[in-house]
Amino acid sequence: MKKNKAVCYVALVVFMLAFFLPYQGAEAFRVAMEREGAKITSSSGDCYQSSPGSPAPVQPLPSQPGTGQTGSGTGQYSYRYPTVDRSGSRSGGVYVPSAPETNPAPPPESPPAAQPPSTPSPQPSLPPAPSWLTVDEAKAFALLNEFRTKNNLPPLQIHNGLVQVARLKAQDIIDHNYFSHVSPTYGSISQMLRNAGIPFTRAAENLSKAGNVYQAHIQLEYSTKGHRQIMLNPNYKNVGIGVLPLKKTPGIIMVQIFTD
């Protein structure tokens, strides 16, 4: 009887060993995998350490959007490329040069500073034509002074005595049908000024015969250098202008007398 009990005990022990050993071995393997596959941290990112002889280290798949699960949660492993830092530093074991990969576009050139518009120098005001001038004489007076101010010269003042002498000379040219600075009746311009009692140290005369006052002015401005020099002489301060219509032909005769 005792022998039979011993055999039963031995069979029971063998049965229990055969039942428990596979489970403990699987559990031990799983625990070893968890222990040897424990997560470690390094500057290159996340990785998993495997036991000797195991496949090359792999990294878990990144989290899937909206699932909250990673590749490690399914027991599947996949390699994850290290993240490249574009800030110009060393990161993740990958060297990124400080210089950009492509040359940046040059900064746009700033537009030149706007310069304030230059203010033209104000022209001197022209003296008004007195009421005792005829329309043609007033027009000739204005044209003469505009010509002087454009050449940076002060305008001339109209002189009543000079106007009377200029009218007298214009009428004498019409009456005696000549065109000269010396009158057969009154002589030279200096003689005429002395006879009229007009003081002067220098004097000059311009004569022009044309279809109208404007044409007469242009003739004096561009005909000869001498006429232009008299009109633009800075030494002259006064002028007298006489304009009369011609008798035998259409047009006018204009006489300008200048004094200092």
Side-chain angles (χ1 to χ4, degrees), residues 8-168:
C8 290
Y9 286 143
V10 170
L12 180 61
V13 170
V14 171
F15 175 78
M16 293 180 66
L17 289 174
F19 182 79
F20 286 102
L21 274 177
Y23 179 78
Q24 292 292 335
E27 183 70 17
F29 182 78
R30 186 172 67 84
V31 171
M33 286 292 295
E34 288 181 352
R35 182 175 61 252
E36 293 178 357
K39 181 179 179 180
I40 62 175
T41 303
S42 70
S43 61
S44 61
D46 297 337
C47 67
Y48 281 82
Q49 184 182 26
S50 61
S51 58
S54 61
V58 294
Q59 297 182 0
L61 289 171
S63 300
Q64 301 298 324
T67 62
Q69 297 180 353
T70 62
S72 60
T74 62
Q76 298 177 356
Y77 294 86
S78 176
Y79 180 74
R80 186 177 68 181
Y81 292 96
T83 302
V84 178
D85 184 6
R86 298 287 182 180
S87 63
S89 62
R90 295 177 182 271
S91 175
V94 179
Y95 174 70
V96 181
S98 299
E101 297 177 358
T102 58
N103 293 329
E109 297 182 359
S110 58
Q115 299 293 333
S118 58
T119 304
S121 57
Q123 297 290 342
S125 58
L126 301 181
S131 58
W132 40 265
L133 289 179
T134 66
V135 174
D136 285 342
E137 291 170 349
K139 185 181 297 183
F141 178 59
L143 290 172
L144 175 60
N145 274 335
E146 286 175 5
F147 181 50
R148 285 178 63 92
T149 55
K150 286 179 181 178
N151 288 272
N152 301 317
L153 290 173
L156 297 171
Q157 298 295 324
I158 197 72
H159 189 283
N160 185 274
L162 293 178
V163 171
Q164 299 301 325
V165 174
R167 287 174 179 173
L168 184 62

Side-chain angles (χ1 to χ4, degrees), residues 172-185:
D172 189 60
I173 291 174
I174 294 172
D175 293 341
H176 294 86
N177 193 23
Y178 70 94
F179 193 79
S180 172
H181 290 294
V182 179
S183 167
T185 308

